Amino acid sequence: MPAMVSSMSQQPTQQAFNPYTENGGTILAIAGADFSVIAGDTRQSEGYSIQTRYAPKVFKLTDKAVLAVNGFAADGNMFVKKVRQRLEWYRHAHAKDMPIRAIARLIQTMLYARRFFPYYVYNILGGIEEDGTGAVYSFDPVGSYEREACRAAGAAQALVQPFLDNQIYFKNQTPAPGSSFPKHLPLTSVLPLVIDSFTSATERHIEVGDGLEIYVVLAKNSTALQSLQSLRGAQEVTTTADGERVFVIRRDLKKD
C-alpha cells in the first residue's frame, strides 16, 4: 500500500489557466428599410452570481453605426475601446465618419488579427448604409461576418433567434391568399418585437434581465422619426444636427 501511494504521488500534475469567462446577457439587431434597431440587456453575471445590474452591451460608434458586444465582458469593453480609437483616427485623417460597411470590414480585420488568442465576444453592428438603408452585420469571435436582416447573440440566442426568424423572416408562416409578406417591417412593429423578445427571454433565462437598452438609428428624412419622437422615454443622442439620427430607449426588465 505505501508503494502504491508513493507511485501515485509521483504522477505529473497538469496546471491549466483559462483566461476567459462567460458573463451572460443577450443582444439583438434588426434592420428596417430606413432604420436599424440594436438592443441589449444590462445584466452581467458569472454562473449564479450577478456581478452588476447595469453593464451596457450596446455602444454608439458614430451617428450611423452602433455596436453591440456580448460574451466575455472584459474583452468586449476593450474591443469597443479599440474600435472607437480607430474610428477617431479615421475621423482626424479624413474629416468624416467611416461608413458602416467599412466599419464592418475594420471589425473583421481586428478580430481576425487576434485569431490565435481571440477576443471572446460576439459582435453585432447595426446602422445606416450610405444609400440610406438599414444594415445589420453579425460577427463571430474570429472575424467571420455577414450582413443580415436580423440577428440575436448571447445567452438567450436559442430562445430569441427562432422568434426573430418567424416574425422578421416569416419562417413557417403562410401568407393569406392573394397577399405577400412585406420586405421590411415598420419601426412601430419592430420595437414591440424587441421588447417582447427580451421580456420572454428574461422569464426563461437567469442570465438575462435587469434593464433593456434599445438604440434606434434613423436615416436622413426617415419616415419613422415622428413615431419615435412621440414614444415615451426616447432620448436623442445624435452628435451632429444634419443627417442620420440616433435615439436610445430604456426599459426595465425583471430583476430576480
Side-chain angles (χ1 to χ4, degrees):
M1 186 66 178
M4 182 180 296
V5 173
S6 177
S7 63
M8 291 177 62
S9 64
Q10 293 174 2
Q11 295 295 322
T13 58
Q14 181 180 1
Q15 304 295 331
F17 168 68
N18 182 10
Y20 301 115
T21 188
E22 177 65 56
N23 292 122
T26 297
I27 56 176
L28 67 80
I30 300 173
D34 57 358
F35 67 88
S36 286
V37 177
I38 308 95
D41 72 316
T42 62
R43 176 174 295 182
Q44 180 177 309
S45 60
E46 186 174 3
Y48 291 100
S49 300
I50 297 176
Q51 297 174 338
T52 177
R53 295 188 185 275
Y54 184 70
K57 298 177 181 65
V58 187
F59 304 89
K60 175 175 170 284
L61 300 179
T62 69
D63 284 345
K64 290 186 178 182
V66 173
L67 180 64
V69 296
N70 185 260
F72 181 28
D75 273 3
N77 293 334
M78 178 55 66
F79 185 70
V80 170
K81 182 178 179 180
K82 287 183 175 293
V83 171
R84 282 176 165 169
Q85 183 184 52
R86 296 288 292 270
L87 294 179
E88 186 175 353
W89 291 349
Y90 182 93
R91 193 177 301 114
H92 291 327
H94 301 279
K96 64 176 183 178
D97 287 329
M98 185 182 292
I100 188 172
R101 179 179 294 184
I103 296 176
R105 186 65 175 177
L106 170 67
I107 291 174
Q108 185 270 335
T109 303
M110 294 174 66
L111 292 172
Y112 188 72
R114 284 283 301 269
R115 63 193 179 279
F116 297 116
F117 189 16
Y119 293 105
Y120 184 43
V121 287
Y122 292 85
N123 297 276
I124 301 178
L125 177 69
I128 302 297
E129 292 280 12
E130 291 181 291
D131 62 359
T133 59
V136 166
Y137 294 89
S138 61
F139 303 79
D140 75 356
V142 292
S144 296
Y145 78 108
E146 63 177 325
R147 182 176 175 178
E148 301 179 279
C150 65
R151 172 58 60 181
Q157 179 186 17
L159 301 175
V160 176
Q161 189 63 52
F163 177 66
L164 296 181
D165 289 341
N166 178 259
Q167 295 295 308
I168 304 299
Y169 288 120
F170 301 103
K171 300 292 186 182
N172 301 311
Q173 292 195 55
T174 303
S179 65
S180 61
F181 292 124
K183 185 176 181 180
H184 296 289
L185 291 177
L187 183 61
T188 52
S189 299
V190 169
L191 288 177
L193 288 178
V194 172
I195 295 173
D196 288 347
S197 297
F198 280 93
T199 301
S200 59
T202 302
E203 294 286 347
R204 287 291 183 178
H205 208 296
I206 62 171
E207 295 179 357
V208 182
D210 295 322
L212 172 62
E213 289 189 336
I214 306 171
Y215 279 76
V216 181
V217 187
L218 300 180
K220 189 174 182 180
N221 301 322
S222 172
T223 57
L225 178 60
Q226 186 174 359
S227 61
L228 187 60
Q229 287 177 326
S230 61
L231 190 66
R232 175 180 62 87
Q235 176 186 355
E236 186 168 5
V237 291
T238 311
T239 305
T240 58
D242 54 338
E244 291 73 20
R245 303 178 71 171
V246 184
F247 293 81
V248 60
I249 304 162
R250 293 182 173 88
R251 294 288 185 269
D252 288 331
L253 296 174
K254 285 183 67 174
K255 301 186 185 306
D256 54 0

